[in-house]
Amino acid sequence: MNTPAISLKGLQKSYGQVNAVKGIDLTVNKGEFIALIGENGAGKTTTLAMLMGLMTPSSGFATILGHTPGTKPVRQKIGAMLQSTELPPVLKVHELIQLFASYYERPYDLANLIKLTQLDDILDRKYQALSGGQQRRVQFAIALCGQPEILFLDEPTVGLDMNVRREFWQILSDLKKSGTTIILTSHYLDEIEALSDRLIILKSGEIIADDMTSNIKKRAQHKNITCATNLDDIKLKAIPGVEAITKSGRLTTIATQQENQVLAELLRADPNLTDLSVYASTLEDALSNVLAPTTKN
Ligand code: ATP
């Protein structure tokens, strides 16, 4: 039988009165790219901490590649980039990478790792002297330095500029192609849409959705028509098929499932409209209700 990458059975964690994770059952197969999402406080970081053996469950259990989290066979096979990472501030980048690589039996070839994570120019700089984005790159290199079979990434691209994020996405896609199992938490839905195969949504410590990302995206069936028009909301709402109208600056966006009829009517009612574009709904559209914050945690 194929051992799953991750198996959770009734995994639960309370902090005093706060029931942060409420008995999760989950199986992740090897090679899957999972996005774990949810509002602030949904229990994502707590779940990751238990998976990595940094925290003991209050009840239930987790296995990683068939072993208990935190044990040596697991530590050799996982890599992690957490939200808060403390590294020795006075060590230089190359010293940090060498130090962490030395913990692994099968480390990544360091020259290739440095090239991949673009650390060449800052190898001799002390960690404390790096910018936030550069520190994230070092943390990523450390997560990769044992050639992990499973990679845990907790909001890895927070604070990175768009170019760096895209380079990061490319590396993650390549890792996925080479068979690495990846568990990503992120609040950036474009990142999740671009990368993940499967989406798991946590809400108040429970899994409320678990499906292929493409299937969840399909749940928002509508198209968005964006244009600059002089028609007011009353006239727009009167067009058959218009479901919702939103405004952003001079642009109006109309959500509809009947884009051909709505477009024809729109152009008839306002032949002078400009900046017209039509696009399929996004993951954000599909998740807009699901991810709305709850008032109580
Ligand atoms: P975010 O997106 O904000 O990072 P999250 O989904 O990762 O949130 P967790 O950090 O796992 O959520 O927190 C889950 C719940 O547990 C929250 O209500 C949080 O306040 C609570 N919690 C987390 N850590 C502790 C702690 N050490 N002591 C007490 N409560 C905690």
Side-chain angles (χ1 to χ4, degrees):
M1 204 184 68
N2 222 342
T3 310
I6 295 169
S7 173
L8 308 183
K9 295 242 171 16
L11 192 75
Q12 190 259 330
K13 180 74 188 177
S14 304
Y15 301 103
Q17 299 294 312
V18 179
N19 198 357
V21 176
K22 296 177 182 162
I24 291 177
D25 294 314
L26 179 69
T27 302
V28 175
N29 292 315
K30 288 178 187 165
E32 282 193 288
F33 195 135
I34 305 275
L36 181 64
I37 69 168
E39 65 196 61
N40 292 132
K44 305 178 295 293
T45 300
T46 303
T47 303
L48 287 191
M50 288 189 278
L51 284 174
M52 292 173 51
L54 300 173
M55 203 178 265
T56 314
S58 304
S59 62
F61 63 91
T63 57
I64 307 278
L65 298 164
H67 300 277
T68 305
T71 53
K72 193 173 175 207
V74 176
R75 278 190 275 124
Q76 283 293 322
K77 289 181 177 163
I78 67 170
M81 188 171 165
L82 302 179
Q83 276 187 58
S84 53
T85 305
E86 284 183 19
L87 292 170
V90 293
L91 285 191
K92 292 180 176 168
V93 171
H94 72 88
E95 292 168 336
L96 279 169
I97 307 278
Q98 276 160 354
L99 175 68
F100 280 88
S102 72
Y103 298 148
Y104 293 95
E105 287 157 6
R106 198 178 61 103
Y108 210 113
D109 175 84
L110 289 192
N112 285 339
L113 180 64
I114 287 161
K115 195 161 159 230
L116 180 76
T117 50
Q118 300 182 11
L119 295 176
D120 315 64
D121 294 341
I122 54 171
L123 280 178
D124 281 324
R125 302 260 297 275
K126 285 184 183 157
Y127 184 72
Q128 67 187 10
L130 301 178
S131 74
Q134 288 167 333
Q135 289 188 344
R136 290 307 266 164
R137 257 192 280 155
V138 174
Q139 292 161 18
F140 186 47
I142 288 172
L144 293 184
C145 71
Q147 300 199 78
E149 286 179 39
I150 306 178
L151 188 57
F152 294 97
L153 302 166
D154 196 4
E155 301 189 30
T157 60
V158 168
L160 299 183
D161 67 48
M162 199 57 213
N163 287 341
V164 179
R165 285 180 68 211
R166 288 195 186 282
E167 284 160 15
F168 187 82
W169 294 1
Q170 185 57 53
I171 298 173
L172 292 185
S173 303
D174 293 342
L175 285 169
K176 179 188 147 46
K177 280 188 204 132
S178 67
T180 310
T181 307
I182 302 174
I183 315 291
L184 167 76
T185 81
S186 175
H187 289 287
Y188 296 126
L189 295 182
D190 57 345
E191 184 160 293
I192 284 159
E193 196 168 345
L195 295 171
S196 69
D197 309 317
R198 180 175 160 197
L199 188 55
I200 294 169
I201 306 177
L202 273 182
K203 191 159 191 164
S204 305
E206 291 176 289
I207 295 178
I208 57 160
D210 176 359
D211 203 347
M212 302 307 285
T213 308
S214 54
N215 287 344
I216 290 182
K217 195 179 149 187
K218 272 189 217 142
R219 290 184 198 169
Q221 293 290 346
H222 61 260
K223 293 269 171 49
N224 294 310
I225 300 171
T226 295
C227 61
T229 175
N230 293 324
L231 296 174
D232 61 26
D233 280 9
I234 296 172
K235 289 200 177 112
L236 289 170
K237 278 184 192 146
I239 297 175
V242 169
E243 289 174 18
I245 299 166
T246 48
K247 303 233 180 217
S248 173
R250 49 187 281 282
L251 294 178
T252 300
T253 298
I254 298 165
T256 177
Q257 294 184 49
Q258 300 163 41
E259 70 273 17
N260 290 340
Q261 294 94 309
V262 171
L263 262 178
E265 186 55 30
L266 195 58
L267 288 164
R268 197 195 58 73
D270 180 4
N272 298 322
L273 68 75
T274 57
D275 299 316
L276 180 65
S277 63
V278 182
Y279 54 95
S281 54
T282 60
L283 186 60
E284 188 168 355
D285 295 322
L287 293 175
S288 53
N289 291 329
V290 181
L291 291 179
T294 43
T295 46
K296 186 167 151 278
N297 191 22

